[in-house]
Amino acid sequence: MLMKASRVKDRDILERDPHAVLEGMAVAGFAIGAEYGTVYIRGEYLLGVKRLLDAIWEAEAKGFLGKNILGSDFSFDINIYSGAGSYICGEETALLESLEGKVGRSRLKPPFPVNEGFWAKPTSVNNVETLANVPLIVANGDEWFKGYGLPDCSGTKIFSISGHVNRPGNYELPMGVTLRELIYDFAGGIRENRKPKAVLPGGTSTSCLIPDQFDIKMDFRSLSLAGTMLGSGAVIVMDETTCMVGAALSVAEFFAHESCGRCTPCREGTMWMVKLLERVRRGQTQNGELDLIRDLGENMRIGSFC
């Protein structure tokens, strides 16, 4: 069983409540019959690594991890693997490749990790936030957890809101809170009382929402129907002073830099997207290039490996 940690919310959980994560992993390991778990964490998160190591040693000393946990027949060990900071390793199969000592590149699916994962063994890959919820659900029951959020998307979600807001940070809220509530009731509204221009609701790989869409519910289904995604819950708010061409170029440069290079649509497409957006920013766009940008983006979306 594997757990991945990369986002800001995951970093906070690992640094502030590592035992909840370890307990969640142990419970999940017991449920699926696993005896071994690995935390894959970004190498830059030194404090998270230290606190997680300390928590593992404490849990082992109390008999909560290791051989014959609490006198039972169940044994479960956890270790830590520090990745090299590659964005692509947030994708589960690229994470597995990295963990096996290979270049972090996505695998063709199927087979899926649950059938053939780490060293070709069945592997469950979950996020830090997911596993940290497990002990609370076991202790309080599934109906308690389903009492939060929506009937078809229950529970809570940690939203990491950043950008042009007065109170950026991590907010754990019920699924279905509206984007408007998130921005104005919890994050304190737009800085300097400026008007909002656009919001990325789930990180840089999601499509923007505009102010007319701010009453949308922040859950997986609602955002999918709106043509975007909740993703990791990393909400990026941009106000009226934002140059959207510059924002798009910044995102394109990031993905061009982070591309693992395995497939042609991403390897070549991200590079050309940067070049085309640079032309737009300089006012050098020629006839048909804006349509080319749209076509290129769609081809990358449907044709890239991961």
Side-chain angles (χ1 to χ4, degrees):
M1 186 181 71
L2 290 169
M3 180 185 69
K4 57 181 179 179
S6 59
R7 303 291 190 266
V8 174
K9 64 178 176 61
D10 299 335
R11 182 177 182 176
D12 265 5
I13 293 171
L14 289 176
E15 291 177 358
R16 297 169 186 266
D17 197 5
H19 281 288
V21 179
L22 299 180
E23 184 177 352
M25 290 185 72
V27 171
F30 177 80
I32 66 175
E35 296 184 352
Y36 183 80
T38 297
V39 180
Y40 187 100
I41 185 170
R42 289 183 71 105
E44 300 94 329
Y45 292 176
L46 298 179
L47 181 59
V49 171
K50 179 184 182 304
R51 291 189 173 171
L52 202 55
L53 278 172
D54 289 344
I56 289 172
W57 293 332
E58 290 168 355
E60 289 174 342
K62 294 288 186 178
F64 300 147
L65 288 177
K67 300 297 181 184
N68 304 115
I69 293 174
L70 298 177
S72 70
D73 294 331
F74 175 58
S75 299
F76 192 74
D77 292 301
I78 296 176
N79 75 342
I80 300 173
Y81 184 93
S82 292
S86 172
Y87 177 83
I88 190 63
C89 289
E91 195 277 331
E92 58 182 2
T93 60
L95 180 154
L96 292 168
E97 290 287 289
S98 176
L99 196 60
E100 292 177 4
K102 306 168 188 173
V103 175
R105 290 176 172 172
S106 298
R107 297 175 180 175
L108 182 65
K109 293 185 286 189
F112 294 94
V114 70
N115 302 117
E116 187 176 315
F118 185 53
W119 294 123
K121 301 292 185 181
T123 306
S124 173
V125 185
N126 284 286
N127 180 260
V128 169
E129 182 183 6
T130 301
L131 289 166
N133 279 324
V134 170
L136 292 171
I137 296 172
V138 171
N140 297 291
D142 62 321
E143 292 300 324
W144 165 82
F145 189 73
K146 287 190 279 189
Y148 295 93
L150 304 172
D152 59 350
C153 194
S154 58
T156 63
K157 179 80 181 75
I158 298 177
F159 298 95
S160 303
I161 185 165
S162 63
H164 300 146
V165 291
N166 288 308
R167 293 195 298 268
N170 290 328
Y171 296 87
E172 184 174 8
L173 300 168
M175 282 285 196
V177 63
T178 67
L179 180 56
R180 189 179 305 279
E181 290 172 326
L182 183 58
I183 294 172
Y184 290 96
D185 294 349
F186 296 98
I190 310 297
R191 290 188 313 201
E192 300 181 20
N193 290 319
R194 290 173 175 158
K195 295 178 181 179
K197 180 176 280 188
V199 173
L200 289 166
T204 53
S205 60
T206 60
S207 300
C208 285
L209 297 172
I210 59 175
D212 288 348
Q213 298 171 292
F214 279 11
D215 290 314
I216 192 170
K217 293 180 179 179
M218 295 292 286
D219 65 88
F220 294 104
R221 183 174 182 273
S222 299
L223 289 171
S224 177
L225 290 174
T228 185
M229 299 184 295
L230 180 58
S232 63
V235 181
I236 304 171
V237 180
M238 294 170 277
D239 69 19
E240 58 188 327
T241 66
T242 303
C243 170
M244 295 308 294
V245 175
L249 177 58
S250 178
V251 171
E253 289 173 335
F254 171 79
F255 283 113
H257 177 267
E258 292 291 337
S259 174
C260 76
R262 178 168 187 174
C263 65
T264 302
C266 177
R267 182 183 64 247
E268 302 298 323
T270 52
M271 177 190 69
W272 280 106
M273 183 66 77
V274 169
K275 292 181 181 294
L276 288 166
L277 288 172
E278 285 176 340
R279 289 179 58 79
V280 176
R281 187 175 63 171
R282 292 195 299 264
Q284 298 174 343
T285 308
Q286 298 179 1
N287 290 338
E289 286 189 347
L290 293 180
D291 289 333
L292 178 59
I293 289 173
R294 282 190 285 268
D295 290 344
L296 178 60
E298 180 64 10
N299 284 326
M300 283 194 288
R301 186 186 71 80
I302 64 176
S304 292
F305 203 77
C306 67

